Every structure is written in C-alpha cells, then in structure tokens.
Amino acid sequence: MPSFNQSIFHPAVFFLTGIPGLETYHAWISIPFCCLYAIAISGNGMILLVIITESSLHEPMYYFLSMLSFTDLGLCLSTLVTMLGIFWFNVREISFDACIGQMFFIHGLTLMESSVLLVMAFDHFIAICNPLRYATILTNSRIIKVGFAIVIRGTTALVPLLLLLKRLSFCHSRILHHSYCFHPDVMKLSCTDTKINSAFGLTIVISTTGLDTILILLSYVLIIHSVLSIASPEERKKTFSTCVSHVSAVAIFYIPMISLSLVHRFGKHAPPVVHTIIANVYLLIPPVMNPIIYSVKTKQICKAISKYSFLS
C-alpha cells in the first residue's frame, strides 16, 4: 500500500494569486487597490461614527445601516493583509488554517450582509406599507435581537462547511485563483470526492442568499403595489426616492456575487484574469460604494458627515 506524506492530505500552505500576467506591475496596480481600501474603510468608519454619535440618527433605519457598514468594514479588513501582501511584498503563501479562518470571515460576513439587506427591505416595507405601526414593530429590543440573529445565522452555517473542507485531501496544485481564500476555489484543488461539500455549500447559498433575494423582491413588489395606490404623483416619487439607496446597495452586492458564482461553476475555460477581476469586484465594490450611496442619497447622513468635516 503506497504511503502518502502529510502534505498531500493537509497542505502546509496554499499560494494566492495577484493579477495573472501582470506580476511585474503589481506595485503600480496596488495604488488603485489602496485607494479603494482607503475609501471603503474611511467611508464605512465615518458612517458608523456619525450614527453612534448623532442622537438624531438613533432610529431603526440607521441602526440597520450601521450593521451594513460594519459588515462592509469587516469584509475589507479580512482581505486587506493578503491582498496588499501580494502586491507589495509578493507574499503569496497562506497556511491551511489561516486560509480556513479567512474563509470563515469572508463567507460569514457575506451571509451577514445579505441578511442585513433583507432586514433593510423589511424596514422599508413597514415604513411605507404600515407606517402607523412602525415604532411598535421595530423597537430597540427587537433590533438588538435581529442583530444577534444576523450574526448567528452568518456564522453557524459555515462551521460544518469548513469542517467538511478540512477532511479533504489536497494532492493537486495548491495555487488559488484569487488574492484571498474562497471556498469553491479551495475545494477545486482537492483530489477526493467533493460532492458532499458542493451539495452542502449549494444548500447554504440557496437557504440564505437565495432566500434573501426572493424575500427582498417580494418586499418591493408589495412596496410598489402600496405606492401605486397613492393618488399624488409627487408623493409616489417621494416615496420611491426613499428606496433608491437600498435598491442600489442590493444591486451592487448581489450582481458581483452571482457573477463570481457563475464564473466558478461555468467559467472553467475563462482566462484567469477574469476570475481575479470578478473576485476583487465582489469584495471591494460594495464596501466602497455603499457609504457613497448613502452619503449622497440620505440627507441626514450627509448633514452629519458635513458637520464632522466642518469640525475637522
């Protein structure tokens, strides 16, 4: 019976990938990435700061927005070290356990963001369709419970998924296609049967982000039905305008995520750079764009940020 060394079953390291074919330009490519990280971290940090410190923003809508900024900030920080390490120092190695840990935060925060977007859709639904009961439905105690539920939902589903990943044997290439550890990317490197992993991963996606998408669409169907019953065109326009920020946040979150999933499942023959670009868009664009969207479209947030900018 042949003997296998331990590295075949539990690789000491994986090797992350920067921008394929442009390795000599990584130092220059890092400049826009650094700018995106700076915008995302400072923007989401500012949103959290103004919501915490401004008493006028202590309302359910802004509490949910702070949850969105928190998850976006976490997503940025979870990939910052590995991505800039590749671009600045060509540090491509990541240990198997560190890779598992990074996946836990990336996928966990992604599930949390999906949950937050669903809760924000529910918030808009209540505010528009049943405004008289808004304050009694979304009390502070219920918002705290919702926050805990979001965290629990985003973390507990991943534990068995990552434990299943640790049982796999890795005897093929250890080179990943991204600048961070992504579950489908790591799973593809296994030389053992991954049907259980794939089925469980697909179940998690369908029961979380898939279900969230359906419920968000349903919420907006009901919102549109309610708004169309308003007689005044001006009131319709004003009501619809309150949903623009959230609809934009939903679009910039789900479109890159769906695109990345499709590339991993059906883009086996796509150039490696396509995988890399979509993977970076998936993690960086929502954290960068959400603070900008809500700062521009939400007057209260805009005023609070302007106040801090003036004081500084």
Side-chain angles (χ1 to χ4, degrees):
M1 184 175 180
S3 60
F4 298 90
N5 59 43
Q6 189 177 5
S7 65
I8 291 178
F9 291 94
H10 299 287
V13 294
F14 286 117
F15 295 93
L16 301 171
T17 301
I19 308 296
L22 299 175
E23 287 80 5
T24 56
Y25 302 100
H26 273 179
W28 293 103
I29 294 172
S30 69
I31 295 175
F33 277 96
C34 287
C35 292
L36 290 175
Y37 273 112
I39 293 170
I41 293 172
S42 60
N44 287 289
M46 178 61 74
I47 294 288
L48 287 170
L49 176 64
V50 298
I51 291 175
I52 291 171
T53 57
E54 291 291 323
S55 58
S56 61
L57 300 180
H58 293 175
E59 298 178 4
M61 170 185 173
Y62 302 109
Y63 289 143
F64 296 139
L65 177 56
S66 68
M67 294 179 191
L68 183 67
S69 292
F70 178 81
T71 56
D72 281 337
L73 193 59
L75 280 172
C76 284
L77 296 176
S78 65
T79 60
L80 177 65
V81 174
T82 56
M83 191 171 291
L84 295 186
I86 292 171
F87 289 142
W88 287 351
F89 308 108
N90 196 33
V91 178
R92 298 175 55 211
E93 296 184 1
I94 183 170
S95 69
F96 183 64
D97 290 334
C99 193
I100 293 289
Q102 188 178 51
M103 277 190 284
F104 177 80
F105 284 104
I106 291 174
H107 292 289
L109 289 166
T110 299
L111 294 182
M112 289 182 203
E113 181 150 350
S114 178
S115 301
V116 172
L117 291 173
L118 172 60
V119 172
M120 293 176 79
F122 178 74
D123 173 75
H124 284 290
F125 168 73
I126 297 298
I128 294 171
C129 300
N130 203 346
L132 297 179
R133 296 188 59 198
Y134 183 83
T136 58
I137 294 174
L138 294 175
T139 61
N140 288 341
S141 61
R142 285 180 178 169
I143 292 172
I144 292 172
K145 291 177 182 177
V146 167
F148 277 114
I150 288 172
V151 173
I152 292 171
R153 185 196 191 206
T155 55
T156 54
L158 289 177
V159 173
L161 183 69
L162 298 181
L163 289 177
L164 285 172
L165 189 66
K166 293 199 73 168
R167 73 177 180 82
L168 297 179
S169 302
F170 296 90
C171 49
H172 292 323
S173 170
R174 290 179 288 164
I175 299 175
L176 301 172
H177 291 95
H178 307 318
S179 304
Y180 55 86
C181 290
F182 188 63
H183 179 263
D185 197 18
V186 175
M187 189 173 60
K188 285 181 180 179
L189 299 183
S190 174
C191 58
T192 51
D193 187 11
T194 59
K195 290 181 180 178
I196 296 177
N197 299 69
S198 297
F200 193 80
L202 184 60
T203 301
I204 291 176
V205 171
I206 293 173
S207 61
T208 54
T209 54
L211 179 61
D212 292 348
T213 306
I214 294 172
L215 293 176
I216 289 171
L217 291 175
L218 177 61
S219 298
Y220 274 100
V221 169
L222 296 174
I223 288 172
I224 292 170
H225 180 267
S226 178
V227 171
L228 291 178
S229 65
I230 300 174
S232 171
E234 292 183 1
E235 287 295 324
R236 291 181 187 176
K237 183 178 179 180
K238 182 179 178 181
T239 305
F240 275 130
S241 66
T242 62
C243 301
V244 171
S245 299
H246 180 253
V247 171
S248 302
V250 169
I252 64 174
F253 173 75
Y254 282 105
I255 291 175
M257 183 182 69
I258 293 171
S259 300
L260 182 60
S261 298
L262 291 175
V263 166
H264 268 283
R265 289 192 176 274
F266 306 109
K268 295 180 180 179
H269 302 293
V273 69
V274 173
H275 289 260
T276 303
I277 291 174
I278 295 178
N280 291 331
V281 167
Y282 159 67
L283 278 190
L284 278 177
I285 295 303
V288 169
M289 293 303 300
N290 283 336
I292 296 173
I293 291 170
Y294 279 96
S295 298
V296 172
K297 292 294 184 180
T298 308
K299 292 181 180 179
Q300 292 86 343
I301 294 292
C302 185
K303 287 181 181 179
I305 292 176
S306 299
K307 175 183 174 182
Y308 274 90
S309 300
F310 178 76
L311 290 175
S312 62

